[in-house]
Amino acid sequence: LRVPVAPLVCAMRMAGGCRGSAVVRKRGGETKTATEVQINKGAVSLTVASWNLDGISDDGLFPVQRAAKAAGILLDTRQGALPLPDLIALQEVTRNTIGVIEKRFTAGGYVDTEKSQIPPYPHDSYFTKCYIRRDSPWRCTTSSRVPFAASRMTRDLLTVSLSGPIGLSARIANTHLESTGPEQAQRLAQLRSAMAAVAGAPAPPFCALIGDLNLGAKDQVQDIAARHGLEDAFGSEKPLRYTWDCNTNLNVQRMLGMPAGPKCRFDRCYFKVSEASGGTTAGD
């Protein structure tokens, strides 16, 4: 999500054959509420956070300031803060913001899943990034970046494979799909490709597609997700209904030049947990 709204956080628990249960936390600005249910002993958790940093807005130093603010929220270790994610997935990182991001996340105990800070051309104007927590029980085994061939906005799919406790594994894909109404056909083609890639065989116990998918009300995605066995981690339940909201996102108000306007749920997480892992997922 965009500052000052909190990030999209998806927490998954796998419990080796028995059904796990979930912790759900909602945090927006200074408002925090928590609902907790009992967790099976020995459950293995994987927490992934996704945030579009809005790094391409033409408003001077604001993108750098937003990136620093986002890093501060994601790395907040105070009591009652969001749990430190095992994996952080970012969208709209730029050459101007990568410096503060790398500095903050390295100091906060995170490692870039790629060897290169900036992807090769043509993906170097704005791009996605993933960071893994250094002391996480999950380790990055491979990281790959595949461009969407017909994209006119240099969009791609960044896929990270993880190895975890008790022999578990996971596949997380971070993406920023084509935006705007006229690009609906291309956006849905990218979604089909991304979902096939993240959930395709051989699928690990946990798969997730997360990021700014730019999906609007006219984008019918339920059948596409169901075809690949993927579930929407958040659905349309309030207060998780919108992630791009002119009533709460000040930078969106500035961008559109209006105090009120569209409300969309662009930022999403689609996941699949195999029955053998006995897992559940919880959204934030």
Side-chain angles (χ1 to χ4, degrees), residues 62-130:
F62 283 130
V64 175
Q65 294 168 343
R66 277 198 299 273
K69 178 69 173 179
I73 293 174
L74 289 166
L75 300 174
D76 189 355
T77 58
R78 294 174 300 176
Q79 185 176 6
L82 294 168
L84 280 176
D86 295 289
L87 184 78
I88 295 174
L90 302 176
Q91 303 88 44
E92 288 196 24
V93 180
T94 69
R95 287 181 175 272
N96 291 331
T97 60
I98 187 65
V100 68
I101 291 168
E102 290 277 345
K103 181 178 179 180
R104 292 291 185 94
F105 284 169
T106 299
Y110 283 81
V111 178
D112 194 337
T113 62
E114 298 177 284
K115 293 181 179 180
S116 175
Q117 281 190 5
I118 300 175
Y121 178 85
H123 307 287
D124 61 350
S125 55
Y126 62 98
F127 43 89
T128 56
K129 292 294 289 184
C130 283

Side-chain angles (χ1 to χ4, degrees), residues 111-153:
V111 178
D112 194 337
T113 62
E114 298 177 284
K115 293 181 179 180
S116 175
Q117 281 190 5
I118 300 175
Y121 178 85
H123 307 287
D124 61 350
S125 55
Y126 62 98
F127 43 89
T128 56
K129 292 294 289 184
C130 283
Y131 296 88
I132 187 80
R133 202 176 78 240
R134 190 175 290 113
D135 63 354
S136 168
W138 296 87
R139 293 288 178 266
C140 176
T141 56
T142 62
S143 181
S144 63
R145 184 182 293 271
V146 178
F148 294 120
S151 174
R152 286 182 279 208
M153 302 179 183

Side-chain angles (χ1 to χ4, degrees), residues 48 95 103 135 170 173 183-184 190 193 198 207 210-211 219 236 245 267 273:
V48 182
R95 287 181 175 272
K103 181 178 179 180
D135 63 354
E183 298 299 330
Q184 181 187 45
Q190 292 172 357
S193 176
V198 75
C207 305
I210 194 165
D219 295 321
S236 58
D245 185 350
D267 309 83
V273 182

